[in-house]
Amino acid sequence: MLLIKTRRDTLLSPLQAVSGIVERRHTLPILSNVLLEKKGDVLTLLATDIEIQITTSTTGDSGEGDGAVTVGARKLQEILRSLPESSEVSLVLDERRLQVKAGRSRFNLQTLPAEDFPCMAMSDGDVKRFTVTQKQFRHLLSQTQYSMATQDVRYYLNGLLLLLDGEELRTVATDGHRLAYSSMALSEAPEGLDQERGLRHELILPRKTVIELSRLLSDNEEPLTVEILPTQVRFRFGQIHLVSKLIDGRFPDYQRVIPATLKNIVTVDRSTLLQSMIRAAILTNEKFRGVRLVLSDGSLKIMVANAEQEEAQEEIEVDYNGDPLDVGFNVSYLLDVLNNTSEEKIAWGFNDANSSALLTIPGNDRFKYVVMPMRI
């Protein structure tokens, strides 16, 4: 049976969209596969790891009859990627094998039955729904996702807080050492929020879901519809439909972490600070990433010393006339925030060498980054 005959890129693009969540090694071999389902001239591609499911579709020439099969996602993707861009590709289902044809190339791949593929069950319940542009949501994620924990025993930190508060959408991420906050205004209040119980709802997106969304969302004005259910969240954009389970837990009260008052504030050119930090970080190592910041009138010194008795010092001019300050930070935490903002200036607020510092964008209260100091 001919599943589809089309140009290479018409098939490769949707396959790459769904196969990002496919694990190379899995306890269930079928989860390494992608489900191909043909109905009429539409070929639907679906991949899942039980926690996340991504579906998309493409069209092309097809034979008569409908059918479905699962095949190794990575192998199929590598085959398509290795073919010339101008290739015309056919996928032909022959009993328990899938034949990939392109010019004089032939590949016969093992398959597993479509009926054995463990598609996620769709959650029932009240739906809360809102729509933003892909660019807006991608920007929110980019400003906060780098602060997510990786493998923390406090599982709720291995994700990102998505908070609906009336007509405002916020994202917050923390690993216990630093916290990133970003917000944006919605054009209208989300559907489904209970007026009597308050227009506030929060959920925690898993780390893998956030990373996949960042990869798949485009930097354009096309719409992204988000549907929130009791145990799931669904994202619809373009031809892609992503469903994810939610992390069941209570996110820390981020507002208590953000300093309310700051005695000393320095304004610095972001690009200049970033380049100085990158150079100074060369002499740090994986085990100790500490960097000293010494502030005085109009000057910021960035100092590093390592176990090999090597030293680095950078000095830059800054807008500062507060108290002299000598404080240490993990340079990786500073590089993360500087690499993920694009504004020209950064405002950096301190109280003393033992208190959290707050990085903001002058004239913009929708972004905040809190970082704990470290002893050096």
Side-chain angles (χ1 to χ4, degrees), residues 45-283:
L45 299 88
L46 184 152
T48 184
D49 68 354
I50 302 300
E51 302 293 323
I52 311 171
Q53 180 171 293
I54 304 179
T55 310
T56 187
S57 61
T58 187
T59 57
D61 297 334
S62 59
E64 295 182 0
D66 298 335
V69 71
T70 79
V71 66
R74 301 286 182 189
K75 285 181 182 176
L76 181 58
Q77 182 175 311
E78 287 171 9
I79 289 169
L80 293 176
R81 192 183 288 150
S82 68
L83 293 170
E85 290 185 16
S86 58
S87 298
E88 188 170 65
V89 179
S90 297
L91 299 185
V92 179
L93 184 57
D94 183 13
E95 294 184 355
R96 298 187 63 179
R97 291 187 174 236
L98 181 73
Q99 188 174 70
V100 183
K101 299 179 181 180
R104 296 184 179 182
S105 301
R106 297 289 184 275
F107 301 87
N108 288 301
L109 302 178
Q110 287 281 9
T111 64
L112 290 171
E115 54 268 24
D116 294 341
F117 197 76
C119 295
M120 284 177 64
M122 294 297 105
S123 175
D124 294 325
D126 295 335
V127 179
K128 298 167 182 65
R129 183 184 294 104
F130 65 90
T131 300
V132 293
T133 68
Q134 294 188 41
K135 182 177 182 178
Q136 287 174 322
F137 200 76
R138 191 168 185 256
H139 180 66
L140 271 186
L141 297 182
S142 71
Q143 289 202 305
T144 51
Q145 69 175 48
Y146 52 86
S147 290
M148 294 186 293
T150 305
Q151 290 180 324
D152 201 295
V153 292
R154 297 164 293 180
Y155 57 91
Y156 47 83
L157 296 185
N158 301 320
L160 181 138
L161 175 69
L162 188 65
L163 174 64
L164 290 169
D165 192 356
E167 294 183 9
E168 188 172 55
L169 178 64
R170 303 172 191 161
T171 56
V172 185
T174 181
D175 60 6
H177 303 287
R178 35 75 180 274
L179 178 146
Y181 162 98
S182 186
S183 70
M184 63 166 284
L186 296 172
S187 57
E188 56 186 31
E191 301 173 26
L193 288 178
D194 193 328
Q195 296 281 348
E196 295 181 0
R197 296 180 184 177
L199 299 176
R200 185 181 173 93
H201 186 80
E202 58 183 65
L203 58 145
I204 306 175
L205 301 177
R207 178 185 179 85
K208 190 172 180 180
T209 301
V210 174
I211 291 171
E212 279 304 304
L213 283 170
S214 297
R215 184 178 72 87
L216 294 171
L217 289 170
S218 300
D219 200 19
N220 60 31
E221 302 298 323
E222 294 297 313
L224 162 71
T225 300
V226 184
E227 297 176 344
I228 304 166
L229 292 100
T231 61
Q232 286 179 346
V233 60
R234 302 173 189 164
F235 300 89
R236 301 177 189 271
F237 51 101
Q239 296 293 321
I240 296 173
H241 180 199
L242 187 153
V243 183
S244 170
K245 291 183 179 179
L246 297 173
I247 293 178
D248 184 16
R250 186 165 183 81
F251 203 81
D253 183 358
Y254 66 90
Q255 291 176 323
R256 291 178 57 189
V257 177
I258 300 173
T261 57
L262 296 162
K263 291 194 301 182
N264 304 300
I265 297 177
V266 55
T267 303
V268 59
D269 182 81
R270 183 195 65 86
S271 179
T272 302
L273 180 60
L274 174 61
Q275 295 306 316
S276 296
M277 288 285 183
I278 289 172
R279 290 191 294 269
I282 294 169
L283 295 191

